[in-house]
Amino acid sequence: ALTQATRQLLPHVTLSVTVPHILTLDQQVQLAEALVQAGADIIQTEGGTSSAPTHAGTLGLMEKAAPTLA
């Protein structure tokens, strides 16, 4: 409902909505599909906290980001 209301108020603005990682994968997909139908232009996902990088620096950041990118 919030996405629909925002789209109605701002019809020409790119609308990005975040799907929370605390939902199950099936729930995330269902919500993403509903958000597209409600007028969202961009669906953003959150990463979980299960990634524990084993390397420091840039490689460690890439390891941490891998689950989100997947």
Side-chain angles (χ1 to χ4, degrees), residues 8-68:
Q8 289 176 355
L9 289 172
L10 304 166
H12 303 293
V13 172
T14 301
L15 182 58
S16 176
V17 182
T18 301
V19 174
H21 76 280
I22 59 172
L23 300 175
T24 65
L25 185 56
D26 289 347
Q27 291 173 324
Q28 289 180 40
V29 170
Q30 290 172 357
L31 179 57
E33 290 172 345
L35 290 169
V36 169
Q37 291 298 316
D41 298 302
I42 299 169
I43 304 298
Q44 178 176 309
T45 60
E46 293 181 325
T49 58
S50 61
S51 177
T54 58
H55 294 88
T58 303
L59 183 56
L61 291 173
M62 291 172 63
E63 289 173 344
K64 190 171 184 177
T68 300

